Amino acid sequence: MEHIEHLTRYTAHFVEELVRSGVTDVVISPGSRSTPLAMTMVEHSSLKAWVIIDERSAAFFALGLAKATERPVAIVCTSGTAAANYFPAVVEAHYSRVPLIVLTADRPHELRDVGAPQAIEQIKLYGDYVKWFQEMALPDASSKMLAYIRSKASRAVSIATHGNPGPVHLNFPFREPLVPNFSLDNVWSCATENNNRKPLTNSPFAPVHNGKKRLSEQQLTVLIEKLKSHKRGLIVCGPQVSGDVAAAIVRLADAWHLPVLADPLSQVRSGQHNKACIIESYDAFLRSETIREQLRPDFIIRFGAMPVSKPYLFFVQTHRDALQFVVEPDGDYREPAGNASDFIFSDPVDLCHDLIDKNPHMPFSTSWLKKWQTINRLAKHHIQTRTNASLTEGEAVRTLMDVIPDKSRLYVGNSMAVRDLDTFFLNTEKEINVLANRGANGIDGMVSSGLGAAASGKQTTLLLGDLSFFHDMNGLLAAKQYEIDLTILLINNDGGGIFSFLPQRDEKHFETLFGTPLGIDFQHAVHMYGGVYTLATNDTELRGALQGSYNEKGLDVIEVRTEREENADWHKALWNDIVTDILANGM
């Protein structure tokens, strides 16, 4: 059997097994050494291949697509620094629990560490940021090696998706020539046996049956006993992707009369479920130390990651003596406040149902819930009604949440964008799936992530600032290439607006080191990539531009320009009025 046949069958069996294991999309960046993988991926009839030239953009595109679909996405690149450009997205996927199948091509072993071009050290390139790494064997089409390559593909998808999802990395050394021959007979079929057992036609080579974690009766009893002697409890919902958890958490909160502090990325603030217990404006009023002290809880049960809100972090640090429980579906220890906590490793939906079934009527204080609800109403009044002579960032986000279509998706950038969403995204009957890159909280790759999410086919809006937009402008090429439908609301405060809320604002070198004004007219970049650009200077123009973008296909970028210091002062005045009103009402 000649080299090309070994190469073709080996690679085809790997790709076919990815498909059998549930991979439907692959993002490819062009390169020579990755030719076997790239050509085989494109050749497979059940794979959707996205070709994104820049590897950093490609990896973030895949990240957004995987988040939106809640399915693993493969990424393919050539050897050398191409693989290194995946690193930021791999880090984000690790911390935000996104299943990426990272496939890097490499020089064969004899061309490593000898000065060959485009050869860097790719073994365990991503360190502990991947759940699993494999240096793959050189292509071989023997029965044993075809079974080997299928087992690795099946295992890669299984590890990436089960437990806490995350990235895996497989490094493929390929010798030249690199072009497969798809005219060979039975290129895709698994004609070999493994221990006298052939895989089923559409079944993975090594199926994994991984059950959900669930507390035992004894563990539930212990948990109930810890809680029942207390009166004032809180449920906190941090960032998480699945919308299935919301109804179960709300049912538990209603049964036990507990307030629910819902992060904007929790998938709890929107939808058809009952929202009577949901407190969404806590970021505004917990800025007051006095209010934080008055709202002293006996216990806190947190689902999902730590909320975006820094005032909430101050709140839990203030009340370190409260019993704190962190619910994780599989494992891990996410408690950045450093508080002593009980970690509950259980499926969150099952846990909520089991707790209600175990004790549907806990003796918790109804006046405690009413106090949170009253404070929330006072805060929401100010958030809904405060205006300014010129359009502020908060007002822009408030308008967006009013106009954004039902059953659509919002992808939000970091820094000020996600914080304004925290304040101005109030409970709604609309079903809005909200995503963000809150694993490492970086501003890189945001345009590509939003486009990847939009590529899933669901109407998507990307909310981000000018620095994030600038950082990933080349990601816009995917919108032009694939005619992706995406609305971008670009908040342009000409630099790092979030720093205007920090003590650095008054420092001598603030503008040089932190403000970093860009002075860029973004409409030229939008037009270069075939998008429609609109500058909105007031609420009426913004509302009209957003509604128009949702009625059209393609890339629409709507820019709102604000002044950093004015915006910071407006926000601080809003928060001050909220706190003053709450304290004046004796709360």
Side-chain angles (χ1 to χ4, degrees):
M1 193 181 298
E2 62 177 11
H3 167 77
I4 291 298
E5 184 170 355
H6 283 287
L7 176 73
T8 303
R9 295 193 185 280
Y10 180 88
T11 311
H13 278 241
F14 175 79
V15 172
E16 166 65 12
E17 192 60 41
L18 288 182
V19 173
R20 288 191 183 189
S21 300
V23 175
T24 59
D25 292 86
V26 58
V27 182
I28 301 168
S29 294
S32 176
R33 191 61 56 167
S34 54
T35 295
L37 283 169
M39 288 187 65
T40 308
M41 295 282 192
V42 173
E43 188 73 17
H44 200 290
S45 60
S46 297
L47 271 178
K48 170 63 177 176
W50 307 84
V51 179
I52 309 292
I53 295 172
D54 179 84
E55 286 83 11
R56 188 182 71 170
S57 178
F60 276 107
F61 184 94
L63 180 97
L65 182 57
K67 274 183 180 256
T69 60
E70 297 184 52
R71 292 196 304 267
V73 174
I75 52 178
V76 174
C77 73
T78 191
S79 62
T81 56
N85 281 310
Y86 278 170
F87 215 129
V90 170
V91 171
E92 177 61 33
H94 168 77
Y95 284 115
S96 58
R97 300 179 177 177
V98 178
L100 292 183
I101 314 296
V102 183
L103 308 175
T104 57
D106 202 351
R107 290 319 201 232
H109 304 80
E110 66 271 15
L111 292 182
R112 299 178 188 175
D113 199 25
V114 294
Q118 208 169 318
I120 69 170
E121 181 55 71
Q122 295 180 203
I123 304 300
K124 296 191 175 181
L125 177 63
Y126 309 113
D128 292 335
Y129 290 112
V130 293
K131 295 178 70 177
W132 184 58
F133 168 79
Q134 282 289 289
E135 164 74 346
M136 303 302 292
L138 287 161
D140 185 334
S142 66
S143 297
K144 181 178 180 179
M145 292 305 292
L146 293 182
Y148 156 86
I149 195 64
R150 282 189 177 270
S151 70
K152 296 301 183 186
S154 181
R155 186 177 174 188
V157 177
S158 173
I159 292 175
T161 54
H162 289 111
N164 291 324
V168 298
H169 176 205
L170 283 69
N171 192 56
F172 284 81
F174 289 125
R175 289 191 177 119
E176 296 180 348
L178 300 166
V179 179
N181 178 9
F182 299 113
S183 66
L184 295 171
D185 293 335
N186 298 318
V187 168
W188 308 103
S189 65
C190 187
T192 61
E193 294 184 354
N194 181 31
N195 295 328
N196 298 319
R197 170 178 168 268
K198 291 183 180 180
L200 299 175
T201 303
N202 293 310
S203 174
F205 184 84
V208 174
H209 308 281
N210 191 12
K212 294 185 295 185
K213 291 192 173 182
R214 196 166 189 170
L215 296 191
S216 66
E217 282 292 317
Q218 181 181 0
Q219 290 171 318
L220 288 167
T221 299
V222 170
L223 180 56
I224 293 289
E225 288 300 315
K226 281 190 174 185
L227 297 175
K228 67 190 302 184
S229 61
H230 300 285
K231 298 294 183 183
R232 302 183 306 276
L234 281 176
I235 293 176
V236 175
C237 298
Q240 57 92 34
V241 174
S242 175
D244 297 337
V245 182
I249 290 175
V250 167
R251 182 171 172 245
L252 176 63
D254 288 344
W256 284 7
H257 306 293
L258 294 176
V260 178
L261 275 57
D263 185 89
L265 309 177
S266 65
Q267 319 307 324
V268 175
R269 294 191 190 183
S270 68
Q272 298 298 311
H273 50 270
N274 181 21
K275 300 181 187 65
C277 295
I278 297 177
I279 310 299
E280 74 269 50
S281 63
Y282 61 90
D283 178 76
F285 60 77
L286 289 182
R287 293 173 183 273
S288 164
E289 185 176 351
T290 302
I291 293 176
R292 291 199 299 267
E293 287 286 353
Q294 291 179 358
L295 293 173
R296 178 175 295 274
D298 296 326
F299 67 86
I300 299 171
I301 304 173
R302 173 162 62 82
F303 296 83
M306 193 70 169
V308 169
S309 170
K310 184 165 283 189
Y312 173 76
L313 175 62
F314 296 154
F315 176 75
V316 293
Q317 289 174 331
T318 298
H319 302 300
R320 292 183 185 277
D321 56 336
L323 292 175
Q324 298 195 40
F325 304 86
V326 179
V327 181
E328 294 280 4
D330 188 76
D332 210 351
Y333 295 82
R334 296 190 291 187
E335 181 34 60
N339 292 347
S341 303
D342 287 26
F343 289 88
I344 302 172
F345 297 151
S346 171
D347 178 81
V349 174
D350 288 342
L351 177 65
C352 291
H353 293 163
D354 290 345
L355 288 173
I356 295 172
D357 293 342
K358 189 74 175 175
N359 199 326
H361 304 293
M362 293 288 275
F364 299 143
S365 170
T366 56
S367 63
W368 166 254
L369 171 61
K370 290 178 181 177
K371 184 172 186 175
W372 279 90
Q373 290 171 324
T374 300
I375 291 174
N376 195 51
R377 280 195 295 271
L378 290 171
K380 286 172 66 173
H381 171 73
H382 289 274
I383 291 169
Q384 290 171 316
T385 59
R386 188 175 186 85
T387 59
N388 191 59
S390 57
L391 187 60
T392 66
E393 297 175 21
E395 290 174 295
V397 174
R398 187 172 64 197
T399 298
L400 169 64
M401 299 317 296
D402 186 40
V403 174
I404 193 169
D406 187 18
K407 295 181 171 58
S408 69
R409 177 181 295 114
L410 173 63
Y411 215 114
V412 60
N414 288 309
S415 297
M416 278 309 299
V418 72
R419 287 166 175 82
D420 272 328
L421 189 71
D422 201 354
T423 300
F424 294 94
F425 175 21
L426 302 179
N427 292 341
T428 176
E429 295 298 304
K430 295 178 184 177
E431 294 180 12
I432 308 297
N433 176 224
V434 186
L435 302 177
N437 293 350
R438 290 300 291 177
N441 299 358
I443 66 169
D444 46 347
M446 287 308 311
V447 172
S448 298
S449 297
L451 282 164
S456 68
K458 190 172 187 177
Q459 191 164 48
T460 300
T461 304
L462 174 62
L463 168 66
L464 80 174
D466 54 302
L467 288 184
S468 294
F469 187 79
F470 166 75
H471 209 279
D472 193 30
M473 280 196 299
N474 61 338
L476 292 171
L477 181 61
K480 181 179 180 180
Q481 281 180 295
Y482 295 104
E483 299 181 339
I484 297 173
D485 185 19
L486 177 68
T487 295
I488 298 179
L489 176 53
L490 168 59
I491 307 294
N492 184 359
N493 52 39
D494 198 24
I498 193 169
F499 293 108
S500 296
F501 291 81
L502 302 178
Q504 293 97 314
R505 173 179 175 177
D506 298 321
E507 292 299 315
K508 177 181 177 182
H509 301 292
F510 175 80
E511 279 298 288
T512 301
L513 297 176
F514 305 103
T516 58
L518 297 175
I520 290 177
D521 187 346
F522 287 111
Q523 66 175 316
H524 302 300
V526 176
H527 292 154
M528 180 171 68
Y529 290 108
V532 175
Y533 171 87
T534 305
L535 176 64
T537 61
N538 56 53
D539 181 77
T540 301
E541 291 179 356
L542 175 59
R543 190 175 296 270
L546 286 168
Q547 290 172 335
S549 75
Y550 296 133
N551 293 325
E552 301 171 352
K553 296 296 183 182
L555 173 67
D556 277 273
V557 178
I558 302 163
E559 181 178 0
V560 172
R561 295 175 184 169
T562 65
E563 201 282 324
R564 274 185 269 125
E565 289 197 8
E566 179 188 15
N567 179 68
D569 291 341
W570 183 85
H571 278 77
K572 290 175 181 177
L574 168 64
W575 296 327
N576 183 67
D577 287 352
I578 289 171
V579 170
T580 300
D581 195 8
I582 291 170
L583 295 178
N585 278 275
M587 292 290 109

